[in-house]
Each structure stands twice: as C-alpha cells, then as structure tokens.
Amino acid sequence: MTTNCIAFQGEPGAYSHEACRSARPGMEALPCRTFEDVMEAVRAGDADLAMLPVENSTYGRVADIHHLLPESGLRIIDEAFVRVHISLLAVPGTTLDQVREAMSHTVLLGQCRGFLRRNAIHAITGADTAGSAKEVAARGNPSLAALAAPLAGEIYGLDRLADRIEDRQNNTTRFLIMSRQADDSRRAERMLTSFVFRVRNIPAALYKAMGGFATNGVNMTKLESYMVDGVFTATQFYADIEGHPEDANVARALDELRYFTSSLDILGVYPADPLRETQRQASMAD
C-alpha cells in the first residue's frame, strides 16, 4: 500500500513535524499520539514512513525509543538532523514582560533554562511542544506562553515574542526515518549501519565483541546499553557504525561480533546526513 504519508509523534507543529517537512517535503505528515502509534501506522499501511527522534545534542537520548526500535519490525532507511530553534509563543498582542509562565515538553524546558531564568518565567511541563502551543492558544491568557517551534506559532496563530532562545546554538535533534522494508542497495560517500545485539554470557564478552571493530578499522559512532524484559541480567546494546555490511572490513567486524553474541539484528543501512560531517569538522576545529 502506498500512501505518500510520513507519520510522526505529536501535534501539528511539533519538531518531528518540522523534520518531516524538511526531510520529506513532498509527503503528507500524519500526527500520532505516541511513538508506538507512529510505528503501527507504518506497519498497518496508513503511512509509508515513520519519523522518530532518537537523541538531542543538549538533552541526550529520547527515553524509551531504543526499546521500541528493534520491536517495531521496521527498518531505518535514513537519518535527519534538525536544528532545534525554540521560540516563545503567546497569544496575539502579548508583550514579553506580561509572560509569567511558559509551557512545553520537559525536554525542551531543559534546553532554554537560561532564557527562562533571565526573564523570571516559571516553567510548566506540558504533554509536548506543539500541544503546549495549542493549549496556550485555547486559553488566551497573556501571562501563559509556550516554548515550541516557529511552525507551531504559525499553525495556532500565536505571536513569536522571542526566537532562538535555546541555551546552546548547536542544539540539534537526530531523527531516524523508518520503513516497512530495508533499503541496503544505496551507496554514498559515508554510510551508516545500525544494529542491536546481546553478548553471550562469557567473561569479557563485550570487550571481545568490540575488538573486531578496532582491528578492522571500523568507526563506531554510538554504543548504548539498556535493560530488556525488566531484569538487570538481560542487557541489549544499540550501536551505530560507519560503513556498509558489504564493505570487507565491516563484514569481518560483524562476523567477529556474531561469534560473541547470542543475537544480532541489523536495523538499517543508510547514508549519513550531511550535517553529521559538518558537526564533526566543527568539533575537531574546537
């Protein structure tokens, strides 16, 4: 089934909505209540793709998302880096000195603490960013503002009292674009492979499993662990590496990994977002 639709979590105007418009401008964006609903929309054929945030450069990884990725049955076909520009949004005619409280998702509140402190604005946790903008518009109270994307202000008819108020000017969220089918056929100058695995219950299993990437010159850009099944003894790892599984050095590294693991699931093979290299060069210059 083809719908030309990409699903995202949140209300219209959310940063995930902005990511959809940026990465897939020709597709209709479908808002969903939860991450699980986003994935189910793709599995059921109501959407072709899912746009899922996985980590923010200021706040860290998005809670629970790595638990959901391997269970979704979907495959990563792209990544998208989106600069998070935060605006203070209020009902039309409001001035900055009238605002006493600002509502947003807890993740976004943590990204502009400095601005809120300087302006003596109290933070209030909302369900999500665009949902907070929607609620501020519905209440019509000048003392209550929302922290959200400029797109949310356009959608809900709010004034932008201040723009780009995030504490860090490189504030960026990484999204994964997922589909029902994998696409391993593409080749780009810089490819990424994402996978999850569990190590065998032997001494130094993780150390030995990682050795193959070092000896074969494969750069691992991410390695995270998390519990599975609610027990401390069951640990799963999520990893991103540079390269394609068909590259000789990557193939050797993955073969060595399989020897020390009880399970290995490749979630996707996809081109790196150009902003990844830009940020890498900037960090090297620092």
Side-chain angles (χ1 to χ4, degrees):
M1 182 184 299
T2 300
T3 63
N4 196 38
C5 184
I6 181 168
F8 69 93
Q9 186 275 329
E11 296 280 354
Y15 286 98
S16 293
H17 186 191
E18 190 173 90
C20 292
R21 299 214 316 184
S22 174
R24 294 293 189 274
M27 299 185 75
E28 178 185 354
L30 174 68
C32 298
R33 189 176 62 87
T34 66
F35 292 136
E36 290 91 337
D37 291 341
V38 172
M39 296 171 180
E40 180 57 29
V42 178
R43 286 194 296 262
D46 296 325
D48 295 315
L49 303 176
M51 178 68 74
L52 296 168
V54 289
E55 57 194 327
N56 175 265
S57 60
T58 301
Y59 194 82
R61 76 178 182 185
V62 177
D64 297 331
I65 194 67
H66 289 109
H67 290 273
L68 299 174
L69 293 180
E71 298 172 0
S72 70
L74 306 180
R75 290 295 177 258
I76 305 166
I77 62 166
D78 267 315
E79 67 172 354
F81 282 60
V82 176
R83 278 285 291 109
V84 178
H85 293 305
I86 304 173
S87 293
L88 184 71
L89 308 174
V91 293
T94 301
T95 58
L96 180 58
D97 60 1
Q98 290 179 281
V99 177
R100 296 289 176 264
E101 298 176 320
M103 177 185 296
S104 194
H105 189 282
T106 181
V107 170
L108 210 70
L109 293 173
Q111 296 172 20
C112 51
R113 291 191 182 98
F115 175 85
L116 297 177
R117 184 174 58 252
R118 288 191 301 272
N119 290 277
I121 297 174
H122 178 66
I124 299 177
T125 301
D128 56 56
T129 59
S132 296
K134 184 178 182 180
E135 185 167 345
V136 166
R139 291 192 189 185
N141 180 0
S143 69
L144 177 65
L147 297 167
L151 176 61
E154 296 174 18
I155 290 175
Y156 300 110
L158 299 174
D159 284 352
R160 287 157 51 187
L161 304 187
D163 291 321
R164 302 196 176 193
I165 60 175
E166 56 272 13
D167 293 333
R168 298 184 181 180
Q169 293 307 303
N170 65 344
N171 192 18
T172 305
T173 296
R174 180 189 180 215
F175 292 84
L176 296 177
I177 302 174
M178 305 191 73
S179 174
R180 289 183 293 275
Q181 300 294 328
D183 184 1
D184 300 346
S185 62
R186 294 166 299 167
R187 285 287 187 165
E189 182 176 352
R190 193 174 184 194
M191 296 293 294
L192 296 174
T193 299
S194 296
F195 54 91
V196 292
F197 65 95
R198 298 187 195 184
V199 295
R200 293 165 55 194
N201 188 23
I202 58 175
L206 180 60
Y207 173 79
K208 294 174 182 177
M210 295 295 95
F213 296 98
T215 56
N216 287 286
V218 177
N219 185 30
M220 180 170 286
T221 61
K222 176 174 288 296
L223 177 65
E224 293 188 341
S225 65
Y226 54 94
M227 290 187 300
V228 291
D229 301 326
V231 295
F232 289 101
T233 55
T235 302
Q236 186 156 272
F237 295 88
Y238 171 94
D240 294 331
I241 60 172
E242 292 184 350
H244 192 289
E246 294 178 357
D247 296 340
N249 63 330
V250 175
R252 289 193 298 268
L254 290 175
D255 282 344
E256 191 163 338
L257 175 66
R258 289 186 180 95
Y259 183 80
F260 295 104
T261 57
S262 58
S263 66
L264 171 64
D265 183 14
I266 294 180
L267 300 179
V269 181
Y270 50 97
D273 187 288
L275 187 56
R276 177 185 286 271
E277 179 64 19
T278 300
Q279 292 189 338
R280 186 183 72 85
Q281 292 179 354
S283 64
M284 291 175 62
D286 294 339

Short mmCIF file of all heavy atoms in Angstrom, two decimals, residues 139-185:
data_model
loop_
_atom_site.label_atom_id
_atom_site.label_comp_id
_atom_site.label_asym_id
_atom_site.label_seq_id
_atom_site.Cartn_x
_atom_site.Cartn_y
_atom_site.Cartn_z
N ARG A 139 -6.39 28.80 25.69
CA ARG A 139 -6.63 29.52 26.95
C ARG A 139 -6.72 31.02 26.75
O ARG A 139 -7.49 31.70 27.46
CB ARG A 139 -5.50 29.21 27.94
CG ARG A 139 -5.50 27.78 28.47
CD ARG A 139 -4.53 27.68 29.64
NE ARG A 139 -4.30 26.31 30.07
CZ ARG A 139 -3.58 25.98 31.12
NH1 ARG A 139 -3.00 26.92 31.86
NH2 ARG A 139 -3.41 24.72 31.45
N GLY A 140 -5.93 31.56 25.84
CA GLY A 140 -5.99 33.00 25.57
C GLY A 140 -5.51 33.87 26.72
O GLY A 140 -5.94 35.02 26.85
N ASN A 141 -4.63 33.35 27.58
CA ASN A 141 -4.13 34.07 28.74
C ASN A 141 -2.76 34.67 28.44
O ASN A 141 -1.80 33.93 28.22
CB ASN A 141 -4.04 33.12 29.93
CG ASN A 141 -3.53 33.79 31.20
OD1 ASN A 141 -3.24 34.98 31.21
ND2 ASN A 141 -3.42 33.01 32.27
N PRO A 142 -2.60 36.01 28.44
CA PRO A 142 -1.32 36.63 28.09
C PRO A 142 -0.18 36.26 29.04
O PRO A 142 0.99 36.37 28.66
CB PRO A 142 -1.61 38.13 28.17
CG PRO A 142 -3.09 38.25 28.04
CD PRO A 142 -3.65 37.02 28.68
N SER A 143 -0.47 35.83 30.24
CA SER A 143 0.60 35.50 31.18
C SER A 143 1.19 34.12 30.93
O SER A 143 2.21 33.77 31.51
CB SER A 143 0.08 35.58 32.62
OG SER A 143 -0.85 34.53 32.88
N LEU A 144 0.54 33.33 30.07
CA LEU A 144 1.00 31.98 29.77
C LEU A 144 1.47 31.90 28.32
O LEU A 144 0.73 32.23 27.40
CB LEU A 144 -0.12 30.97 29.99
CG LEU A 144 0.20 29.51 29.64
CD1 LEU A 144 1.30 28.96 30.56
CD2 LEU A 144 -1.05 28.64 29.72
N ALA A 145 2.72 31.47 28.14
CA ALA A 145 3.29 31.31 26.81
C ALA A 145 3.68 29.85 26.59
O ALA A 145 3.61 29.03 27.50
CB ALA A 145 4.50 32.22 26.63
N ALA A 146 4.09 29.55 25.37
CA ALA A 146 4.55 28.20 25.04
C ALA A 146 5.96 28.28 24.48
O ALA A 146 6.34 29.28 23.85
CB ALA A 146 3.62 27.55 24.02
N LEU A 147 6.73 27.24 24.71
CA LEU A 147 8.05 27.10 24.10
C LEU A 147 7.93 26.02 23.03
O LEU A 147 7.65 24.85 23.34
CB LEU A 147 9.08 26.70 25.14
CG LEU A 147 9.32 27.71 26.26
CD1 LEU A 147 10.12 27.08 27.39
CD2 LEU A 147 10.03 28.94 25.73
N ALA A 148 8.12 26.41 21.78
CA ALA A 148 7.90 25.47 20.69
C ALA A 148 8.59 25.98 19.43
O ALA A 148 9.24 27.03 19.43
CB ALA A 148 6.39 25.28 20.45
N ALA A 149 8.43 25.24 18.34
CA ALA A 149 9.00 25.63 17.06
C ALA A 149 8.20 26.79 16.46
O ALA A 149 7.00 26.92 16.71
CB ALA A 149 8.97 24.44 16.10
N PRO A 150 8.85 27.64 15.67
CA PRO A 150 8.11 28.71 14.98
C PRO A 150 6.92 28.18 14.18
O PRO A 150 5.89 28.85 14.07
CB PRO A 150 9.17 29.33 14.06
CG PRO A 150 10.47 29.05 14.75
CD PRO A 150 10.30 27.71 15.40
N LEU A 151 7.05 26.97 13.64
CA LEU A 151 5.96 26.36 12.88
C LEU A 151 4.70 26.24 13.72
O LEU A 151 3.58 26.46 13.22
CB LEU A 151 6.39 24.98 12.37
CG LEU A 151 5.34 24.15 11.63
CD1 LEU A 151 4.86 24.88 10.37
CD2 LEU A 151 5.90 22.77 11.27
N ALA A 152 4.85 25.92 15.01
CA ALA A 152 3.69 25.81 15.89
C ALA A 152 2.99 27.16 16.05
O ALA A 152 1.76 27.23 16.12
CB ALA A 152 4.11 25.27 17.25
N GLY A 153 3.77 28.23 16.09
CA GLY A 153 3.17 29.56 16.17
C GLY A 153 2.34 29.88 14.95
O GLY A 153 1.25 30.46 15.05
N GLU A 154 2.84 29.50 13.78
CA GLU A 154 2.09 29.72 12.54
C GLU A 154 0.78 28.94 12.55
O GLU A 154 -0.29 29.47 12.16
CB GLU A 154 2.93 29.29 11.34
CG GLU A 154 4.21 30.09 11.13
CD GLU A 154 5.05 29.51 10.01
OE1 GLU A 154 4.49 28.74 9.20
OE2 GLU A 154 6.25 29.81 9.95
N ILE A 155 0.84 27.70 12.97
CA ILE A 155 -0.34 26.83 12.92
C ILE A 155 -1.43 27.29 13.89
O ILE A 155 -2.61 27.27 13.56
CB ILE A 155 0.08 25.37 13.20
CG1 ILE A 155 0.89 24.83 12.02
CG2 ILE A 155 -1.15 24.49 13.44
CD1 ILE A 155 1.46 23.44 12.24
N TYR A 156 -1.02 27.73 15.10
CA TYR A 156 -2.01 28.05 16.14
C TYR A 156 -2.23 29.54 16.33
O TYR A 156 -2.89 29.95 17.27
CB TYR A 156 -1.59 27.39 17.46
CG TYR A 156 -1.51 25.88 17.32
CD1 TYR A 156 -0.28 25.23 17.36
CD2 TYR A 156 -2.65 25.12 17.10
CE1 TYR A 156 -0.20 23.85 17.20
CE2 TYR A 156 -2.58 23.75 16.93
CZ TYR A 156 -1.35 23.12 16.98
OH TYR A 156 -1.29 21.76 16.81
N GLY A 157 -1.68 30.36 15.43
CA GLY A 157 -1.97 31.79 15.45
C GLY A 157 -1.39 32.54 16.63
O GLY A 157 -2.02 33.46 17.15
N LEU A 158 -0.17 32.16 17.05
CA LEU A 158 0.47 32.81 18.18
C LEU A 158 1.57 33.77 17.72
O LEU A 158 2.17 33.58 16.66
CB LEU A 158 1.08 31.76 19.12
CG LEU A 158 0.09 30.76 19.74
CD1 LEU A 158 0.84 29.69 20.52
CD2 LEU A 158 -0.92 31.47 20.63
N ASP A 159 1.82 34.79 18.54
CA ASP A 159 2.92 35.72 18.27
C ASP A 159 4.23 35.13 18.77
O ASP A 159 4.27 34.48 19.82
CB ASP A 159 2.68 37.07 18.97
CG ASP A 159 1.62 37.91 18.27
OD1 ASP A 159 1.20 37.52 17.16
OD2 ASP A 159 1.24 38.95 18.83
N ARG A 160 5.30 35.39 18.05
CA ARG A 160 6.64 34.99 18.48
C ARG A 160 7.27 36.15 19.23
O ARG A 160 7.67 37.15 18.63
CB ARG A 160 7.48 34.59 17.27
CG ARG A 160 7.05 33.25 16.70
CD ARG A 160 7.44 33.06 15.24
NE ARG A 160 8.85 33.34 14.98
CZ ARG A 160 9.37 33.37 13.76
NH1 ARG A 160 8.58 33.15 12.70
NH2 ARG A 160 10.65 33.62 13.57
N LEU A 161 7.37 36.02 20.56
CA LEU A 161 7.92 37.09 21.38
C LEU A 161 9.44 37.06 21.42
O LEU A 161 10.08 38.09 21.66
CB LEU A 161 7.38 36.98 22.81
CG LEU A 161 5.86 36.99 22.98
CD1 LEU A 161 5.50 37.05 24.46
CD2 LEU A 161 5.24 38.16 22.23
N ALA A 162 10.03 35.89 21.21
CA ALA A 162 11.49 35.75 21.19
C ALA A 162 11.82 34.50 20.39
O ALA A 162 11.11 33.49 20.48
CB ALA A 162 12.05 35.66 22.60
N ASP A 163 12.88 34.57 19.60
CA ASP A 163 13.30 33.44 18.77
C ASP A 163 14.70 32.98 19.15
O ASP A 163 15.50 33.75 19.69
CB ASP A 163 13.28 33.83 17.29
CG ASP A 163 11.87 34.04 16.76
OD1 ASP A 163 10.97 33.26 17.14
OD2 ASP A 163 11.66 34.97 15.96
N ARG A 164 14.97 31.72 18.84
CA ARG A 164 16.30 31.12 19.05
C ARG A 164 16.79 31.35 20.47
O ARG A 164 17.90 31.85 20.69
CB ARG A 164 17.29 31.65 18.02
CG ARG A 164 16.86 31.37 16.59
CD ARG A 164 17.97 31.53 15.59
NE ARG A 164 17.51 31.15 14.25
CZ ARG A 164 18.31 30.94 13.21
NH1 ARG A 164 19.61 31.06 13.36
NH2 ARG A 164 17.81 30.60 12.03
N ILE A 165 15.97 30.96 21.42
CA ILE A 165 16.28 31.19 22.83
C ILE A 165 16.93 29.97 23.49
O ILE A 165 17.15 29.95 24.70
CB ILE A 165 15.01 31.59 23.61
CG1 ILE A 165 13.96 30.48 23.54
CG2 ILE A 165 14.44 32.90 23.07
CD1 ILE A 165 12.72 30.75 24.38
N GLU A 166 17.26 28.96 22.70
CA GLU A 166 17.91 27.78 23.25
C GLU A 166 19.27 28.15 23.83
O GLU A 166 19.95 29.06 23.35
CB GLU A 166 18.07 26.70 22.17
CG GLU A 166 18.81 27.12 20.92
CD GLU A 166 17.92 27.74 19.85
OE1 GLU A 166 16.76 28.09 20.15
OE2 GLU A 166 18.41 27.89 18.71
N ASP A 167 19.65 27.46 24.89
CA ASP A 167 20.91 27.76 25.59
C ASP A 167 22.13 27.50 24.72
O ASP A 167 23.13 28.21 24.83
CB ASP A 167 21.02 26.92 26.87
CG ASP A 167 19.98 27.31 27.92
OD1 ASP A 167 19.54 28.47 27.89
OD2 ASP A 167 19.62 26.46 28.74
N ARG A 168 22.06 26.49 23.87
CA ARG A 168 23.20 26.15 23.02
C ARG A 168 22.81 26.34 21.55
O ARG A 168 21.82 25.79 21.09
CB ARG A 168 23.65 24.71 23.27
CG ARG A 168 24.12 24.47 24.71
CD ARG A 168 24.63 23.07 24.89
NE ARG A 168 25.06 22.83 26.27
CZ ARG A 168 25.55 21.68 26.71
NH1 ARG A 168 25.67 20.66 25.89
NH2 ARG A 168 25.91 21.54 27.98
N GLN A 169 23.65 27.07 20.84
CA GLN A 169 23.32 27.40 19.46
C GLN A 169 23.51 26.24 18.49
O GLN A 169 23.09 26.33 17.34
CB GLN A 169 24.16 28.61 19.01
CG GLN A 169 23.82 29.89 19.75
CD GLN A 169 22.32 30.22 19.70
OE1 GLN A 169 21.74 30.34 18.61
NE2 GLN A 169 21.69 30.33 20.86
N ASN A 170 24.14 25.16 18.95
CA ASN A 170 24.25 23.97 18.09
C ASN A 170 23.22 22.92 18.44
O ASN A 170 23.35 21.74 18.09
CB ASN A 170 25.66 23.37 18.20
CG ASN A 170 25.95 22.83 19.60
OD1 ASN A 170 25.25 23.16 20.56
ND2 ASN A 170 26.99 22.01 19.72
N ASN A 171 22.17 23.32 19.15
CA ASN A 171 21.13 22.40 19.61
C ASN A 171 20.49 21.67 18.43
O ASN A 171 19.83 22.28 17.59
CB ASN A 171 20.07 23.20 20.39
CG ASN A 171 19.12 22.32 21.15
OD1 ASN A 171 19.40 21.15 21.39
ND2 ASN A 171 17.98 22.87 21.53
N THR A 172 20.68 20.36 18.37
CA THR A 172 20.26 19.58 17.21
C THR A 172 19.62 18.27 17.66
O THR A 172 20.09 17.65 18.61
CB THR A 172 21.46 19.26 16.30
OG1 THR A 172 22.12 20.47 15.93
CG2 THR A 172 21.03 18.52 15.04
N THR A 173 18.57 17.87 16.97
CA THR A 173 17.94 16.58 17.23
C THR A 173 18.16 15.66 16.04
O THR A 173 18.01 16.08 14.88
CB THR A 173 16.43 16.72 17.50
OG1 THR A 173 16.24 17.48 18.70
CG2 THR A 173 15.77 15.36 17.68
N ARG A 174 18.53 14.43 16.34
CA ARG A 174 18.71 13.42 15.29
C ARG A 174 17.45 12.58 15.20
O ARG A 174 16.94 12.08 16.21
CB ARG A 174 19.91 12.53 15.60
CG ARG A 174 20.16 11.44 14.56
CD ARG A 174 21.20 10.47 15.03
NE ARG A 174 21.45 9.42 14.05
CZ ARG A 174 21.75 8.16 14.35
NH1 ARG A 174 21.83 7.79 15.62
NH2 ARG A 174 21.96 7.27 13.40
N PHE A 175 16.94 12.44 14.00
CA PHE A 175 15.76 11.63 13.73
C PHE A 175 16.15 10.44 12.85
O PHE A 175 17.08 10.53 12.03
CB PHE A 175 14.69 12.43 12.98
CG PHE A 175 14.06 13.53 13.78
CD1 PHE A 175 14.66 14.77 13.89
CD2 PHE A 175 12.84 13.34 14.42
CE1 PHE A 175 14.08 15.80 14.63
CE2 PHE A 175 12.24 14.35 15.15
CZ PHE A 175 12.87 15.58 15.25
N LEU A 176 15.44 9.34 13.02
CA LEU A 176 15.56 8.20 12.13
C LEU A 176 14.29 8.07 11.31
O LEU A 176 13.18 8.19 11.85
CB LEU A 176 15.80 6.91 12.92
CG LEU A 176 17.10 6.83 13.72
CD1 LEU A 176 17.16 5.53 14.50
CD2 LEU A 176 18.31 6.98 12.82
N ILE A 177 14.44 7.85 10.02
CA ILE A 177 13.31 7.63 9.13
C ILE A 177 13.21 6.14 8.87
O ILE A 177 14.18 5.50 8.43
CB ILE A 177 13.47 8.40 7.81
CG1 ILE A 177 13.64 9.90 8.09
CG2 ILE A 177 12.28 8.15 6.88
CD1 ILE A 177 13.94 10.73 6.86
N MET A 178 12.05 5.56 9.19
CA MET A 178 11.90 4.11 9.15
C MET A 178 10.80 3.68 8.19
O MET A 178 9.82 4.41 7.98
CB MET A 178 11.63 3.57 10.55
CG MET A 178 12.70 3.98 11.57
SD MET A 178 12.59 3.12 13.15
CE MET A 178 13.19 1.48 12.69
N SER A 179 10.98 2.51 7.61
CA SER A 179 10.06 1.97 6.62
C SER A 179 9.77 0.51 6.92
O SER A 179 10.46 -0.12 7.73
CB SER A 179 10.69 2.12 5.22
OG SER A 179 9.90 1.49 4.23
N ARG A 180 8.78 -0.04 6.23
CA ARG A 180 8.48 -1.47 6.40
C ARG A 180 9.58 -2.34 5.79
O ARG A 180 9.80 -3.46 6.23
CB ARG A 180 7.13 -1.81 5.75
CG ARG A 180 5.92 -1.25 6.49
CD ARG A 180 4.61 -1.68 5.85
NE ARG A 180 4.42 -1.11 4.54
CZ ARG A 180 3.91 0.11 4.32
NH1 ARG A 180 3.55 0.87 5.35
NH2 ARG A 180 3.75 0.58 3.09
N GLN A 181 10.24 -1.81 4.76
CA GLN A 181 11.27 -2.58 4.06
C GLN A 181 12.63 -1.90 4.18
O GLN A 181 12.73 -0.68 4.13
CB GLN A 181 10.91 -2.71 2.56
CG GLN A 181 9.59 -3.41 2.30
CD GLN A 181 9.61 -4.87 2.72
OE1 GLN A 181 10.66 -5.53 2.64
NE2 GLN A 181 8.48 -5.40 3.14
N ALA A 182 13.67 -2.70 4.34
CA ALA A 182 15.04 -2.17 4.36
C ALA A 182 15.44 -1.74 2.96
O ALA A 182 14.87 -2.19 1.96
CB ALA A 182 16.00 -3.23 4.88
N ASP A 183 16.43 -0.87 2.88
CA ASP A 183 16.98 -0.44 1.59
C ASP A 183 18.50 -0.41 1.72
O ASP A 183 19.09 0.59 2.09
CB ASP A 183 16.44 0.95 1.21
CG ASP A 183 16.92 1.38 -0.17
OD1 ASP A 183 17.64 0.61 -0.82
OD2 ASP A 183 16.57 2.49 -0.60
N ASP A 184 19.12 -1.56 1.44
CA ASP A 184 20.57 -1.70 1.58
C ASP A 184 21.30 -1.47 0.26
O ASP A 184 22.53 -1.63 0.20
CB ASP A 184 20.93 -3.10 2.10
CG ASP A 184 20.30 -3.38 3.46
OD1 ASP A 184 19.83 -2.42 4.10
OD2 ASP A 184 20.29 -4.56 3.87
N SER A 185 20.57 -1.10 -0.78
CA SER A 185 21.17 -1.03 -2.12
C SER A 185 21.92 0.27 -2.37
O SER A 185 22.76 0.34 -3.27
CB SER A 185 20.08 -1.19 -3.18
OG SER A 185 19.13 -0.11 -3.08
#
